[in-house]
């Protein structure tokens, strides 16, 4: 099963991001970008890739234990940017303001994954919300991105283990498990 651990975005924020993309004509002005379906927006804490079915209970336990000592917190979204940078964009994202609790819960989950020998992508964590992926080389004017600003905030009360199913129509996600912050399931 292809899996990841994430923070899910409130539906009102997903709608606001979809509206932001439309209101700023981003689909029209940046046609080389495949915009993420608002229903699929999430913040990835750990991308696990393929996980054997028999390891899923282990991952659920790690998520539950990783959230136990953490309290709900607020995510503040602000600004737009690109990875790796504006000159060679591959991903368009909305930024996340520094939130120590976000980094701490992610670190605890990663420690559990390491201890259990479960693979996850260990790239440096730069908190962001991916809203688009570049399909073909594109030039984006820094002034264009810099004048756009999306801001919103939402509470984070639980962490999710998700399954990702890829198809020609795009990805679809299924919740396998969720764990409330500060509670063990």
């Amino acid at each position: 099963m292809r899996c990841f651990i994430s923070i899910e975005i409130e539906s009102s924020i997903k709608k606001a991001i979809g509206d932001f993309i439309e209101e700023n004509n981003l689909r029209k002005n940046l046609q080389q970008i495949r915009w993420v379906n608002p229903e699929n927006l999430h913040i990835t804490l750990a991308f696990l890739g393929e996980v054997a079915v028999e390891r899923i209970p282990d991952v659920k336990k790690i998520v539950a234990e990783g959230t136990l000592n953490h309290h709900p917190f607020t995510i503040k979204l602000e600004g737009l940017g690109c990875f790796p940078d504006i000159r060679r964009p591959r991903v368009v994202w909305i930024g996340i303001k520094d939130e120590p609790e976000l980094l701490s819960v992610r670190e605890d989950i990663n420690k559990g994954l390491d201890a259990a020998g479960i693979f996850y992508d260990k790239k440096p964590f730069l908190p962001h919300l991916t809203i688009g992926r570049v399909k073909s080389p594109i030039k984006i004017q820094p002034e264009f991105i810099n004048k756009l600003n999306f801001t919103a905030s939402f509470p984070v009360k639980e962490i999710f283990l998700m399954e990702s199913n890829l198809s020609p129509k795009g990805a679809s996600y299924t919740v396998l498990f969720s764990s409330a912050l500060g509670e063990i399931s």
Side-chain angles (χ1 to χ4, degrees):
M1 306 175 88
R2 183 179 159 96
C3 298
F4 60 91
I5 298 169
S6 70
I7 293 170
E8 294 305 297
I9 311 297
E10 287 185 352
S11 58
S12 62
I13 304 294
K14 290 178 178 183
K15 182 182 180 333
I17 292 169
D19 292 346
F20 174 81
I21 290 168
E22 295 307 320
E23 290 165 7
N24 287 286
N25 295 313
L26 298 183
R27 285 187 204 285
K28 179 181 168 200
N29 293 328
L30 300 171
Q31 293 179 9
Q32 299 93 328
I33 296 175
R34 186 179 70 243
W35 299 99
V36 175
N37 178 338
E39 287 302 307
N40 286 348
L41 292 170
H42 63 276
I43 298 166
T44 302
L45 297 180
F47 178 73
L48 308 177
E50 289 296 324
V51 177
V53 173
E54 58 271 10
R55 295 301 315 260
I56 295 297
D58 298 332
V59 179
K60 289 179 180 179
K61 183 179 179 195
I62 290 164
V63 172
E65 290 175 351
T67 60
L68 180 61
N69 295 315
H70 297 277
H71 299 288
F73 57 93
T74 300
I75 293 277
K76 293 181 179 86
L77 302 172
E78 182 176 6
L80 258 67
C82 300
F83 288 141
D85 59 50
I86 193 78
R87 290 181 309 282
R88 300 169 317 219
R90 302 293 304 142
V91 170
V92 178
W93 49 258
I94 294 174
I96 297 175
K97 296 282 257 179
D98 287 343
E99 172 49 60
E101 197 69 24
L102 167 66
L103 301 177
S104 182
V105 73
R106 180 182 180 273
E107 183 177 325
D108 284 353
I109 289 169
N110 286 354
K111 284 179 184 174
L113 293 168
D114 285 335
I118 296 173
F119 170 85
Y120 64 97
D121 186 345
K122 295 184 180 179
K123 280 190 266 191
F125 184 60
L126 300 167
H128 69 283
L129 172 60
T130 297
I131 61 170
R133 290 183 176 81
V134 177
K135 298 183 286 190
S136 59
I138 181 176
K139 282 228 184 255
I140 300 176
Q141 297 302 317
E143 308 80 48
F144 179 73
I145 287 288
N146 292 338
K147 76 176 183 177
L148 298 172
N149 191 28
F150 179 87
T151 60
S153 63
F154 62 94
V156 177
K157 298 176 184 172
E158 57 190 328
I159 304 297
F160 294 82
L161 171 60
M162 305 293 289
E163 179 182 12
S164 173
N165 294 296
L166 302 178
S167 77
K169 292 181 179 181
S172 64
Y173 304 136
T174 305
V175 175
L176 297 177
F177 177 74
S178 68
S179 181
L181 292 163
E183 295 178 16
I184 195 157
S185 300

